[in-house]
Amino acid sequence: MCRNIKTLFNFAPPATDDEIYAASLQYVRKVSGFNKPSKANEDAINRAIEDVAMATQNLLNTLVTNAEPRDREIEAERARARTVKRFGIE
């Protein structure tokens, strides 16, 4: 899985449209192999991004959990700690 695609479910506040779009963009780029598509493929790529974003929003709206929502700041701090441990940089 692409490392830039972040978990979007069960956060307080919920994922924004921009976060869903960014994850969809990364997914389509990864699957298609295009970072910047040609003019011939631009419409297909943009349509795919919109479709993936819509499917992602539908998925997030229908998932259920009994767990408490995760705090974005705490998760970001944990990610920073993992980075320091892994790479030794801050």
Side-chain angles (χ1 to χ4, degrees):
M1 181 177 202
C2 186
R3 292 183 191 176
N4 293 330
I5 299 175
K6 307 295 183 213
T7 300
L8 300 175
F9 178 62
N10 198 29
F11 278 98
T16 65
D17 290 341
D18 288 341
E19 290 172 315
I20 292 170
Y21 178 84
S24 301
L25 175 64
Q26 287 297 319
Y27 175 79
V28 171
R29 282 180 175 173
K30 185 70 164 185
V31 170
S32 69
F34 291 117
N35 192 25
K36 176 111 171 87
S38 66
K39 285 288 184 187
N41 292 319
E42 192 172 25
D43 288 339
I45 295 292
N46 289 337
R47 198 168 37 254
I49 293 167
E50 290 174 17
D51 291 346
V52 170
M54 188 182 321
T56 301
Q57 184 67 62
N58 289 339
L59 174 65
L60 294 175
N61 289 341
T62 57
L63 291 175
V64 294
T65 183
N66 292 326
E68 290 293 319
R70 293 177 281 181
D71 184 280
R72 290 179 184 278
E73 290 302 317
I74 292 171
E75 294 300 321
E77 182 56 40
R78 288 179 182 159
R80 283 189 288 274
R82 285 191 304 270
T83 299
V84 168
K85 183 177 179 182
R86 183 173 182 192
F87 300 109
I89 54 175
E90 292 185 34

